[in-house]
Amino acid sequence: MVAALRAGGEPSRLRILTLLAEGDLTVKDLTGILGQSQPRISRHLKLLTEAGLVDRFPEGAWVYYRLADRGAVGALVGGLIAALDRADPTTSRDLERLAAVKRAHAERTAAYFAAHAGDWERLRSLHVEEARVEEAIRSILGNAPFAALLDVGTGTGRLLTLLADRYDRAVGIDASHDMLTAARSELDRAGLTRARVQQGDVHALGQPRDAFDVVTIHQVLHYLDDPGSAIREAARALRPGGRLLVVDFAPHALEFLRESHAHRRLGFAHADLARLMEQAGLELVEIRDLPPSPDRACGGDGALTVTLWLARDPRILVASDTHSKVTT
């Protein structure tokens, strides 16, 4: 605690903590906002990271920094930020510059999506409307709130915003730097600071065991050679009684998706994905099919049905006066 107080008790480092409370940032971002040199910013971040106040997440050639959110140190950081006067001239100016940086990020994201809009519109036209899929996702998970969400293959971070009223904290994982840039813009636009995204592998998530109440895998498995591995890794992250929701295509015959869009699997049968969930130690709870509307049927057998599979971890956390244990 003393080390954390010493690290945070310096004007520039306190300014950095204030900015990181608004979302993930790079050294380049902070250099532009604070008007300090790259070596100086890097030194501040090194001290904050060593003190446990900030976490460091490499992402290809980039490195993102965010506030630590665990234990007593995380509570300390939250208290420091809450006590700051946002009307202070230095703080106010930093936040204005941060807003400009986020606008620039959003403009780059918009340009990226504009360049790929044709492909995505064609794919979306092949299956059920996104609004129906999102409605089904919220419905199948129910209205009860939960503590922690993990979104595997988060893409643009849409599920993080869609389910924001249900969770206390959320993590989105994706392998693509471009997608993570888009997701950060989405979280900024929504004003969501309880959710964060980071680069990761669906087969090795790098998340603690038994850490999440809900794990979602939305339109990801059809890109994988080994979807069973991804499901097992997702199951490992579930708490006792936690739920895994997979959203993907039912079996279809659109070979161009394999040839032009890197789809490794042309959909999944009910039984095939149910088997993979059971092999991961999960119990299948429900399956829902969402066929496309007639205006999207594309001539009959060209239509794509979206399927939702919901499974749960059968373990139960049993508490007593002296200890807790996991049972099945």
PDB file of all heavy atoms in Angstrom, residues 179-199:
ATOM      1  N   MET A 179     -10.138  -4.923 -34.800  1.00  0.00           N
ATOM      2  CA  MET A 179     -11.405  -5.136 -34.100  1.00  0.00           C
ATOM      3  C   MET A 179     -11.365  -4.540 -32.696  1.00  0.00           C
ATOM      4  O   MET A 179     -12.353  -3.965 -32.214  1.00  0.00           O
ATOM      5  CB  MET A 179     -11.720  -6.634 -34.026  1.00  0.00           C
ATOM      6  CG  MET A 179     -12.145  -7.261 -35.333  1.00  0.00           C
ATOM      7  SD  MET A 179     -13.761  -6.663 -35.925  1.00  0.00           S
ATOM      8  CE  MET A 179     -13.236  -5.489 -37.171  1.00  0.00           C
ATOM      9  N   LEU A 180     -10.243  -4.670 -32.020  1.00  0.00           N
ATOM     10  CA  LEU A 180     -10.129  -4.119 -30.669  1.00  0.00           C
ATOM     11  C   LEU A 180     -10.178  -2.596 -30.698  1.00  0.00           C
ATOM     12  O   LEU A 180     -10.742  -1.969 -29.790  1.00  0.00           O
ATOM     13  CB  LEU A 180      -8.834  -4.599 -30.008  1.00  0.00           C
ATOM     14  CG  LEU A 180      -8.809  -6.092 -29.673  1.00  0.00           C
ATOM     15  CD1 LEU A 180      -7.415  -6.506 -29.209  1.00  0.00           C
ATOM     16  CD2 LEU A 180      -9.840  -6.436 -28.600  1.00  0.00           C
ATOM     17  N   THR A 181      -9.595  -1.995 -31.725  1.00  0.00           N
ATOM     18  CA  THR A 181      -9.695  -0.546 -31.881  1.00  0.00           C
ATOM     19  C   THR A 181     -11.152  -0.137 -32.040  1.00  0.00           C
ATOM     20  O   THR A 181     -11.618   0.839 -31.434  1.00  0.00           O
ATOM     21  CB  THR A 181      -8.883  -0.079 -33.098  1.00  0.00           C
ATOM     22  OG1 THR A 181      -7.509  -0.421 -32.908  1.00  0.00           O
ATOM     23  CG2 THR A 181      -9.000   1.422 -33.293  1.00  0.00           C
ATOM     24  N   ALA A 182     -11.897  -0.907 -32.847  1.00  0.00           N
ATOM     25  CA  ALA A 182     -13.321  -0.632 -33.023  1.00  0.00           C
ATOM     26  C   ALA A 182     -14.078  -0.823 -31.716  1.00  0.00           C
ATOM     27  O   ALA A 182     -14.972  -0.032 -31.377  1.00  0.00           O
ATOM     28  CB  ALA A 182     -13.890  -1.549 -34.099  1.00  0.00           C
ATOM     29  N   ALA A 183     -13.729  -1.870 -30.972  1.00  0.00           N
ATOM     30  CA  ALA A 183     -14.414  -2.136 -29.705  1.00  0.00           C
ATOM     31  C   ALA A 183     -14.173  -1.017 -28.697  1.00  0.00           C
ATOM     32  O   ALA A 183     -15.092  -0.603 -27.979  1.00  0.00           O
ATOM     33  CB  ALA A 183     -13.947  -3.473 -29.133  1.00  0.00           C
ATOM     34  N   ARG A 184     -12.954  -0.522 -28.644  1.00  0.00           N
ATOM     35  CA  ARG A 184     -12.668   0.582 -27.710  1.00  0.00           C
ATOM     36  C   ARG A 184     -13.478   1.826 -28.076  1.00  0.00           C
ATOM     37  O   ARG A 184     -13.965   2.541 -27.196  1.00  0.00           O
ATOM     38  CB  ARG A 184     -11.176   0.879 -27.696  1.00  0.00           C
ATOM     39  CG  ARG A 184     -10.352  -0.222 -27.035  1.00  0.00           C
ATOM     40  CD  ARG A 184      -8.888   0.174 -26.857  1.00  0.00           C
ATOM     41  NE  ARG A 184      -8.167  -0.898 -26.184  1.00  0.00           N
ATOM     42  CZ  ARG A 184      -7.468  -1.841 -26.796  1.00  0.00           C
ATOM     43  NH1 ARG A 184      -7.361  -1.826 -28.118  1.00  0.00           N
ATOM     44  NH2 ARG A 184      -6.859  -2.792 -26.108  1.00  0.00           N
ATOM     45  N   SER A 185     -13.621   2.078 -29.360  1.00  0.00           N
ATOM     46  CA  SER A 185     -14.444   3.209 -29.794  1.00  0.00           C
ATOM     47  C   SER A 185     -15.896   3.002 -29.390  1.00  0.00           C
ATOM     48  O   SER A 185     -16.588   3.943 -28.975  1.00  0.00           O
ATOM     49  CB  SER A 185     -14.342   3.394 -31.313  1.00  0.00           C
ATOM     50  OG  SER A 185     -13.039   3.779 -31.687  1.00  0.00           O
ATOM     51  N   GLU A 186     -16.377   1.764 -29.509  1.00  0.00           N
ATOM     52  CA  GLU A 186     -17.758   1.450 -29.116  1.00  0.00           C
ATOM     53  C   GLU A 186     -17.957   1.664 -27.624  1.00  0.00           C
ATOM     54  O   GLU A 186     -18.962   2.238 -27.189  1.00  0.00           O
ATOM     55  CB  GLU A 186     -18.073  -0.003 -29.487  1.00  0.00           C
ATOM     56  CG  GLU A 186     -19.430  -0.508 -29.038  1.00  0.00           C
ATOM     57  CD  GLU A 186     -20.577  -0.052 -29.916  1.00  0.00           C
ATOM     58  OE1 GLU A 186     -20.322   0.660 -30.902  1.00  0.00           O
ATOM     59  OE2 GLU A 186     -21.727  -0.392 -29.617  1.00  0.00           O
ATOM     60  N   LEU A 187     -17.008   1.224 -26.817  1.00  0.00           N
ATOM     61  CA  LEU A 187     -17.114   1.409 -25.369  1.00  0.00           C
ATOM     62  C   LEU A 187     -17.039   2.886 -25.004  1.00  0.00           C
ATOM     63  O   LEU A 187     -17.760   3.348 -24.109  1.00  0.00           O
ATOM     64  CB  LEU A 187     -16.017   0.621 -24.651  1.00  0.00           C
ATOM     65  CG  LEU A 187     -16.073  -0.900 -24.798  1.00  0.00           C
ATOM     66  CD1 LEU A 187     -14.902  -1.543 -24.054  1.00  0.00           C
ATOM     67  CD2 LEU A 187     -17.387  -1.456 -24.282  1.00  0.00           C
ATOM     68  N   ASP A 188     -16.173   3.629 -25.673  1.00  0.00           N
ATOM     69  CA  ASP A 188     -16.081   5.069 -25.423  1.00  0.00           C
ATOM     70  C   ASP A 188     -17.400   5.751 -25.763  1.00  0.00           C
ATOM     71  O   ASP A 188     -17.891   6.608 -25.022  1.00  0.00           O
ATOM     72  CB  ASP A 188     -14.957   5.687 -26.254  1.00  0.00           C
ATOM     73  CG  ASP A 188     -13.571   5.319 -25.735  1.00  0.00           C
ATOM     74  OD1 ASP A 188     -13.471   4.898 -24.565  1.00  0.00           O
ATOM     75  OD2 ASP A 188     -12.604   5.444 -26.499  1.00  0.00           O
ATOM     76  N   ARG A 189     -17.967   5.386 -26.910  1.00  0.00           N
ATOM     77  CA  ARG A 189     -19.223   6.000 -27.340  1.00  0.00           C
ATOM     78  C   ARG A 189     -20.330   5.731 -26.329  1.00  0.00           C
ATOM     79  O   ARG A 189     -21.162   6.608 -26.046  1.00  0.00           O
ATOM     80  CB  ARG A 189     -19.622   5.449 -28.711  1.00  0.00           C
ATOM     81  CG  ARG A 189     -20.876   6.080 -29.305  1.00  0.00           C
ATOM     82  CD  ARG A 189     -21.378   5.288 -30.499  1.00  0.00           C
ATOM     83  NE  ARG A 189     -21.739   3.929 -30.112  1.00  0.00           N
ATOM     84  CZ  ARG A 189     -22.850   3.608 -29.481  1.00  0.00           C
ATOM     85  NH1 ARG A 189     -23.725   4.531 -29.143  1.00  0.00           N
ATOM     86  NH2 ARG A 189     -23.105   2.354 -29.173  1.00  0.00           N
ATOM     87  N   ALA A 190     -20.330   4.528 -25.765  1.00  0.00           N
ATOM     88  CA  ALA A 190     -21.358   4.155 -24.797  1.00  0.00           C
ATOM     89  C   ALA A 190     -21.043   4.643 -23.381  1.00  0.00           C
ATOM     90  O   ALA A 190     -21.873   4.484 -22.481  1.00  0.00           O
ATOM     91  CB  ALA A 190     -21.530   2.630 -24.789  1.00  0.00           C
ATOM     92  N   GLY A 191     -19.858   5.206 -23.186  1.00  0.00           N
ATOM     93  CA  GLY A 191     -19.476   5.665 -21.847  1.00  0.00           C
ATOM     94  C   GLY A 191     -19.275   4.527 -20.868  1.00  0.00           C
ATOM     95  O   GLY A 191     -19.479   4.685 -19.661  1.00  0.00           O
ATOM     96  N   LEU A 192     -18.857   3.363 -21.362  1.00  0.00           N
ATOM     97  CA  LEU A 192     -18.716   2.170 -20.521  1.00  0.00           C
ATOM     98  C   LEU A 192     -17.290   2.055 -19.990  1.00  0.00           C
ATOM     99  O   LEU A 192     -16.363   1.786 -20.747  1.00  0.00           O
ATOM    100  CB  LEU A 192     -19.043   0.911 -21.331  1.00  0.00           C
ATOM    101  CG  LEU A 192     -20.456   0.352 -21.220  1.00  0.00           C
ATOM    102  CD1 LEU A 192     -20.596  -0.866 -22.118  1.00  0.00           C
ATOM    103  CD2 LEU A 192     -20.789  -0.013 -19.787  1.00  0.00           C
ATOM    104  N   THR A 193     -17.114   2.235 -18.690  1.00  0.00           N
ATOM    105  CA  THR A 193     -15.801   2.052 -18.070  1.00  0.00           C
ATOM    106  C   THR A 193     -15.737   0.755 -17.270  1.00  0.00           C
ATOM    107  O   THR A 193     -14.680   0.403 -16.762  1.00  0.00           O
ATOM    108  CB  THR A 193     -15.464   3.238 -17.154  1.00  0.00           C
ATOM    109  OG1 THR A 193     -16.486   3.368 -16.143  1.00  0.00           O
ATOM    110  CG2 THR A 193     -15.387   4.533 -17.949  1.00  0.00           C
ATOM    111  N   ARG A 194     -16.868   0.037 -17.182  1.00  0.00           N
ATOM    112  CA  ARG A 194     -16.880  -1.253 -16.465  1.00  0.00           C
ATOM    113  C   ARG A 194     -16.466  -2.399 -17.377  1.00  0.00           C
ATOM    114  O   ARG A 194     -16.353  -3.543 -16.938  1.00  0.00           O
ATOM    115  CB  ARG A 194     -18.273  -1.537 -15.902  1.00  0.00           C
ATOM    116  CG  ARG A 194     -18.715  -0.566 -14.823  1.00  0.00           C
ATOM    117  CD  ARG A 194     -20.137  -0.848 -14.377  1.00  0.00           C
ATOM    118  NE  ARG A 194     -21.113  -0.494 -15.405  1.00  0.00           N
ATOM    119  CZ  ARG A 194     -21.814  -1.374 -16.110  1.00  0.00           C
ATOM    120  NH1 ARG A 194     -21.643  -2.669 -15.921  1.00  0.00           N
ATOM    121  NH2 ARG A 194     -22.695  -0.972 -17.010  1.00  0.00           N
ATOM    122  N   ALA A 195     -16.275  -2.114 -18.650  1.00  0.00           N
ATOM    123  CA  ALA A 195     -15.879  -3.131 -19.617  1.00  0.00           C
ATOM    124  C   ALA A 195     -14.532  -2.758 -20.220  1.00  0.00           C
ATOM    125  O   ALA A 195     -14.229  -1.583 -20.410  1.00  0.00           O
ATOM    126  CB  ALA A 195     -16.925  -3.267 -20.714  1.00  0.00           C
ATOM    127  N   ARG A 196     -13.723  -3.762 -20.531  1.00  0.00           N
ATOM    128  CA  ARG A 196     -12.443  -3.537 -21.180  1.00  0.00           C
ATOM    129  C   ARG A 196     -12.213  -4.639 -22.203  1.00  0.00           C
ATOM    130  O   ARG A 196     -12.839  -5.710 -22.134  1.00  0.00           O
ATOM    131  CB  ARG A 196     -11.299  -3.532 -20.162  1.00  0.00           C
ATOM    132  CG  ARG A 196     -11.159  -4.798 -19.335  1.00  0.00           C
ATOM    133  CD  ARG A 196     -10.029  -4.648 -18.333  1.00  0.00           C
ATOM    134  NE  ARG A 196      -9.902  -5.753 -17.402  1.00  0.00           N
ATOM    135  CZ  ARG A 196      -9.261  -6.882 -17.649  1.00  0.00           C
ATOM    136  NH1 ARG A 196      -8.707  -7.062 -18.838  1.00  0.00           N
ATOM    137  NH2 ARG A 196      -9.172  -7.833 -16.748  1.00  0.00           N
ATOM    138  N   VAL A 197     -11.332  -4.368 -23.138  1.00  0.00           N
ATOM    139  CA  VAL A 197     -11.004  -5.361 -24.164  1.00  0.00           C
ATOM    140  C   VAL A 197      -9.500  -5.541 -24.211  1.00  0.00           C
ATOM    141  O   VAL A 197      -8.736  -4.639 -23.855  1.00  0.00           O
ATOM    142  CB  VAL A 197     -11.538  -4.951 -25.549  1.00  0.00           C
ATOM    143  CG1 VAL A 197     -13.055  -4.901 -25.543  1.00  0.00           C
ATOM    144  CG2 VAL A 197     -10.969  -3.603 -25.987  1.00  0.00           C
ATOM    145  N   GLN A 198      -9.089  -6.716 -24.660  1.00  0.00           N
ATOM    146  CA  GLN A 198      -7.664  -6.986 -24.792  1.00  0.00           C
ATOM    147  C   GLN A 198      -7.446  -8.069 -25.820  1.00  0.00           C
ATOM    148  O   GLN A 198      -8.344  -8.858 -26.137  1.00  0.00           O
ATOM    149  CB  GLN A 198      -7.061  -7.405 -23.453  1.00  0.00           C
ATOM    150  CG  GLN A 198      -7.559  -8.727 -22.913  1.00  0.00           C
ATOM    151  CD  GLN A 198      -7.072  -8.992 -21.499  1.00  0.00           C
ATOM    152  OE1 GLN A 198      -7.425  -8.263 -20.564  1.00  0.00           O
ATOM    153  NE2 GLN A 198      -6.273 -10.023 -21.341  1.00  0.00           N
ATOM    154  N   GLN A 199      -6.217  -8.099 -26.348  1.00  0.00           N
ATOM    155  CA  GLN A 199      -5.880  -9.092 -27.354  1.00  0.00           C
ATOM    156  C   GLN A 199      -5.669 -10.441 -26.689  1.00  0.00           C
ATOM    157  O   GLN A 199      -5.112 -10.539 -25.589  1.00  0.00           O
ATOM    158  CB  GLN A 199      -4.622  -8.676 -28.098  1.00  0.00           C
ATOM    159  CG  GLN A 199      -4.360  -9.473 -29.369  1.00  0.00           C
ATOM    160  CD  GLN A 199      -3.249  -8.851 -30.192  1.00  0.00           C
ATOM    161  OE1 GLN A 199      -2.217  -8.478 -29.669  1.00  0.00           O
ATOM    162  NE2 GLN A 199      -3.468  -8.721 -31.500  1.00  0.00           N
TER     163      GLN A 199
END
